Amino acid sequence: MGRRAKGHVFMAAKWVFPGGRVERSDAGVASASELQPPEAARLAREVSPRRARALALAAVRETFEETGLLLAEPAPPASVAGPWREFRAAGALPDLAALSYVARAITPPGRTRRFDARFFMADAAALLHPEPTAGSGELDEIAWIPLAEAEALDLPAITRFVIGEVRARLETPDRPLPFVRMVRGKHVVEHQD
């Protein structure tokens, strides 16, 4: 997890998971593996296969950009243009097979910034190097935090929810996928599957 810098307009000083938006190049970038069939099927209920792949690749890329962590397989360094330049220069290809789709959430209406976010998790054993670096500087502190300790941090409500979902998914991997959103002024959690 990482703590957002105090100067950020959105979620300043909150502990969050790395993440961000899908870039145009995400869908077509080379990868060492593809999503596992169950994860691809879950995402295919919501988006096209191309968009599902782009969402997974964006998660891998954003994690690298914000933390320096490479969810990847080793590969010869490659020179590519765009947001994947540093990732590929590090001698890595994204490992999508390591990802598990955990939850989806849409920011409530009326907020200045709204997101339709997907949350993924992966075993740390799938990282090329297990120690985070300074990343892009968007997060002013980056650390591995045990789930029980993470719950005591200053967290956005959705991050707290996803931590609980991760804990539950570790015990029951095939549990239904939660979709969190606001419907007629009330938070709703629908379980898909």
Side-chain angles (χ1 to χ4, degrees):
M1 298 186 77
R3 186 178 61 208
R4 289 180 55 83
K6 292 178 183 171
H8 281 282
V9 174
F10 183 72
M11 294 192 189
K14 298 279 188 185
W15 283 87
V16 297
F17 301 117
R21 70 180 188 164
V22 174
E23 297 289 344
R24 188 171 295 158
S25 63
D26 289 337
V29 75
S31 62
S33 62
E34 296 302 323
L35 287 163
Q36 295 289 336
E39 308 312 320
R42 284 180 163 182
L43 283 160
R45 291 186 197 126
E46 304 167 10
V47 295
S48 71
R50 180 174 172 80
R51 181 70 175 171
R53 186 172 192 276
L55 288 164
L57 282 160
V60 172
R61 180 183 48 74
E62 287 283 346
T63 297
F64 171 68
E65 288 175 2
E66 293 181 14
T67 68
L69 294 170
L70 289 159
L71 184 63
E73 293 290 334
S79 179
V80 300
W84 286 92
R85 181 180 302 120
E86 289 182 41
F87 194 100
R88 293 303 314 278
L93 276 174
D95 181 9
L96 301 185
L99 290 171
S100 294
Y101 184 25
V102 174
R104 177 181 179 198
I106 298 178
T107 312
R111 301 281 172 93
T112 306
R113 296 183 187 205
R114 295 200 64 207
F115 300 98
D116 184 350
R118 272 69 173 197
F119 295 86
F120 296 89
M121 69 180 196
D123 191 311
L127 296 169
L128 281 183
H129 310 286
E131 290 305 316
T133 66
S136 65
E138 184 174 333
L139 304 172
D140 65 6
E141 187 175 343
I142 302 165
W144 290 107
I145 302 169
L147 290 175
E149 292 176 27
E151 292 170 332
L153 297 172
D154 186 8
L155 305 171
I158 190 59
T159 304
R160 189 173 304 285
F161 176 86
V162 172
I163 287 172
E165 186 60 29
V166 165
R167 181 189 306 279
R169 193 163 296 281
L170 290 171
E171 295 171 10
T172 311
D174 59 346
R175 67 185 269 112
L177 181 80
F179 175 24
V180 182
R181 61 192 174 127
M182 197 75 115
V183 177
R184 291 188 278 286
K186 294 184 181 179
H187 275 99
V188 174
V189 179
E190 296 171 355
H191 285 88
Q192 304 169 352
D193 287 345

